[in-house]
Amino acid sequence: MSPMNPSIAAKEPQAGIDLLRIVRINEEIKAVVGVAFKINIMALNAIFLAKRAGTAALGFGVLSNELRTFSQDLRSCMGALTVLIHRCVTEVSVVLQDIRKTRLLSEAVSLSALSKLNPVVVRRERENIEHQERLAALRRQLLRALDDAFQLVELGGVLAKSAKIEAAYGQSFAASLAQVSGEFDGVVEEIRNSLLALRHSEFFK
Amino acid sequence: MKKTNTIFQDGDHKWVAIVRDPDRPGHLVDTNEYLVTHGGQGMLLDPGGAEVFPAVFSALSGEFDPSALSAVFASHQDPDICSSLALWLEFNPGMRCYVSWLWESFIPHFGGTKETFVTIPDPGMDIFLGGLSLQAVPAHYLHSSGNFHLYDKQAKILFSGDVGAALLPAGQDALFVENFDTHIRYAEGFHKRWMGSNDAKRRWCERVASMEINLLCPQHGAIYQGSDVQRFINWFDELQVGVLGS
């Protein structure tokens, strides 16, 4: 068989690497969704604790409610990210198929030397470019969605830190409230780090 | 690149065997493709796997305008038979693919739209190519459960898919069987293992024994001609198939 066109040969492993990176991003998103669910449960327990603490933990109760809303917003946000990831996987798979087809068609045309068949390869290459542009657009959309998620998590961080302050006013419940708010802070920080890592993924470079 | 050999010609009625690619990577099984032309139209029999498409395409285009291919015939659903389908369709989106009804929703995984496929019922059917009538001959369970061969009564040629196939060692690349006894040793293991039903084999032998066949053209290995055709049918009839080991 004739040697592969070098530009096509270079694209094939790149698309494979992209697919691997998307899979890793998806795994990280799944982990964040799991943690968001954990915050929801923690917030629910915090609300009960605040009720028991009464007036001394009114502010803490409000913040716990806010954290519960935050966890639900975060899950919706991650759901949107998952949809985008699935679209990216589809598009990269199409690009992978494109590359193989283009390689085989180009080889066939170059071996047969029938110039009238070149338009088929030209059309195929045009379609490849369209698919790659669609993938690039999805990549930008995904990065924007990650930025939105990151901003949301920054808000979650503020809520967790405020809860820590409110816990100090919890009188006899102060220790329990401090423990809960500390856990909030830790979990939100965990999500923040995950999202930071995702934003720096090679997939977006 | 593969070689093309015209194995039959009568005016514009032609059979071309596309065989033996010296550049084929060793991990791919060697395949034969056959082009039948008549009345300016062409049909490619078992167009081959995607990875051998460049070699088959270039060889075929030396003989025939690939954009004038009106159809492909897939004896069954294996990847070495028709995983190149999507690539052929790139050049000729209106091309049809004749295949057993059994694979109607399986082969589209290789490419094609609903309009691409013309399904063949179990008893077989006539297929027309530029005024020439070809017959899809049932060969179910040999080896695939939905399997057809193609008979050209005018040319007296039977395309026999995997029946008659031989996995020849390197260097043995003659187009026709030269010494039946030597050749058949390379076919024996293949037929014992790949062919799953002695009943199906017996029915096929009875059916083709009544046909006038000058050339029996398998998808792998050399072509049987003349008296070797009947010798093969007799040999196959005697062989116990559907067995593991030698």
Side-chain angles (χ1 to χ4, degrees), chain A residues 1 100 103 112 116 124, chain B residues 23 51 61 65 90-91:
Chain A
M1 286 191 189
R100 184 174 185 230
R103 169 174 67 82
S112 63
K116 74 176 202 173
R124 160 64 41 207
Chain B
D23 302 324
E51 286 299 321
S61 62
D65 178 355
E90 290 265 351
F91 285 97

Side-chain angles (χ1 to χ4, degrees), chain A residues 108 111-114 117, chain B residues 4 56-66 88:
Chain A
L111 284 171
S112 63
L114 284 181
L117 299 172
Chain B
T4 54
V56 177
F57 182 91
S58 56
L60 179 138
S61 62
E63 289 283 334
F64 188 75
D65 178 355
W88 290 101

